Amino acid sequence: MYQIKCMNAISKVGTDLLTEQYQLTDELEQADALLVRSASLHEMELPKKLNAIARAGAGVNNIPLSQCAKEGIVVFNTPGANANAVKELVMAGLLLSSRDLIAGYNWVQENKTRETLAKDVEKEKKRFAGHEILGKKIGVIGLGAIGILVANMCDRMGMEVFGYDPYVSVEAAWSLSKRIHHSIQINEIFEQCDFITMHVPLLDSTREMINQEAIDKMKDGVCILNFSRDALVDEEAMKKGLRSGKVHRYVTDFPTTGIAGEDGVITLPHLGASTEEAEDNCAKMAVKELMDYLENGNIKHSVNYPDCDMGICQVAFRVTILHENIPKMLSQFTALFGEEEVNITDMTNKSKNAWAYTMMDTDTQPSKELIDKLKQIPGVVKVRVIK
């Protein structure tokens, strides 16, 4: 029986997928796997028996990835499960930044008791007219699951779309409209676009990517949308840009005391992936990832170990080994199996940066002594036998 601990409220649509092999537990020390949304695990001592953590969402800043890798805990996320929810909010943010809808709404609320309201509207509405987005240039920075949807949406709405992502996957490239202009340099987006929207993870290389130098290169009156992470933007540079008129609107899903209330800023309370549908989709994907790993050893959408899939084991046993990505590991593994005359019927090995994963199917059960010897090999982090 596998024990699953939910660190946050997880949609029942997801947890209902758990079979009779699983049991939800309130005891952290008993957990074989964790389901988490926003709870921070950085200050937490993770249990020794923990095998996996699944984040019901894309961002994993709340999880100590390096520590988990060293302890043989595979961390999953759910890329794309909430992409449509974020895309739809970006569309709303795009319209809010181009048409002065919020100021217009506020004016009506402030004057709703006027007997002459209907007449006064005709006089005042020009203040809130704004601009159409048709034919305007928009730069989409990051062409992952969300960025692709945003780029294609803007294309269908008649905008001229510039996409920038030096690491765009082949699958993503095939999904993009052929009309989207692929920018080789990010400066092309800064210099050419009327609107800029960011869809990249927070890394050392992306932190404060919208800084004073970047803003100085932008067109006067640019609108900037941030539905990814607050730290992608240098707030002081943004406030300077807004006050000078260089930036017309800054729409962010991450309100902070430093930026909320600034003229020209539209702040939303982190609504991007908060729809019921997105939470259901993330929960379902996270649960399926955990089940496939615990039952079959397969890794899909891991952020600290390589993805590796051998399907359902067709023979008696499957041995999985999480280990450092260093030379001669495979030869040491196979030598031990050969010494015990355990036949390996199928095997795969994948690596990702400093870490690697090996899966081996056998037609006879490896002995406890063999498993202990595997665990003692320098660089081996965790060994599991799946029946």
Side-chain angles (χ1 to χ4, degrees), residues 254-299:
F254 308 97
T256 67
T257 54
I259 202 72
E262 188 77 19
D263 287 345
V265 175
I266 299 173
T267 53
L268 302 174
H270 202 183
L271 299 177
S274 296
T275 64
E276 182 178 340
E277 295 87 347
E279 291 183 8
D280 288 349
N281 290 338
C282 288
K284 288 189 290 186
M285 184 181 290
V287 168
K288 289 177 180 179
E289 290 166 350
L290 287 184
M291 293 173 66
D292 197 20
Y293 179 63
L294 293 174
E295 295 176 30
N296 303 308
N298 296 321
I299 296 178

Side-chain angles (χ1 to χ4, degrees), residues 334-364:
T334 56
L336 288 176
F337 278 81
E339 290 173 7
E340 196 167 301
E341 297 185 353
V342 174
N343 184 41
I344 299 172
T345 61
D346 197 5
M347 179 176 70
T348 189
N349 169 268
K350 300 290 183 181
S351 63
K352 182 177 184 177
N353 301 322
W355 303 101
Y357 187 52
T358 299
M359 303 172 70
M360 292 177 286
D361 286 352
T362 67
D363 51 16
T364 56

Side-chain angles (χ1 to χ4, degrees), residues 123-144:
K123 298 178 182 178
E124 298 291 339
K125 65 182 183 181
K126 290 182 179 179
R127 292 167 49 193
F128 316 116
H131 300 276
E132 297 180 20
I133 62 173
L134 181 67
K136 300 298 191 301
K137 295 178 180 179
I138 184 168
V140 181
I141 301 174
L143 297 172

Side-chain angles (χ1 to χ4, degrees), residues 1-10 15 18 22-37 39-41 44-47 49-56 286-287 290 294:
M1 181 76 70
Y2 295 113
Q3 302 288 317
I4 309 294
K5 164 76 171 168
C6 295
M7 304 301 296
N8 298 99
I10 301 295
T15 55
L18 296 170
Y22 297 87
Q23 183 179 49
L24 294 176
T25 180
D26 292 328
E27 302 298 326
L28 179 63
E29 288 302 318
Q30 300 303 314
D32 296 289
L34 303 181
L35 283 164
V36 62
R37 290 177 60 201
S40 177
L41 307 185
M44 187 177 298
E45 185 175 347
L46 299 174
K49 67 174 295 191
L50 191 66
N51 286 309
I53 299 171
R55 160 76 164 96
V287 168
L290 287 184
L294 293 174

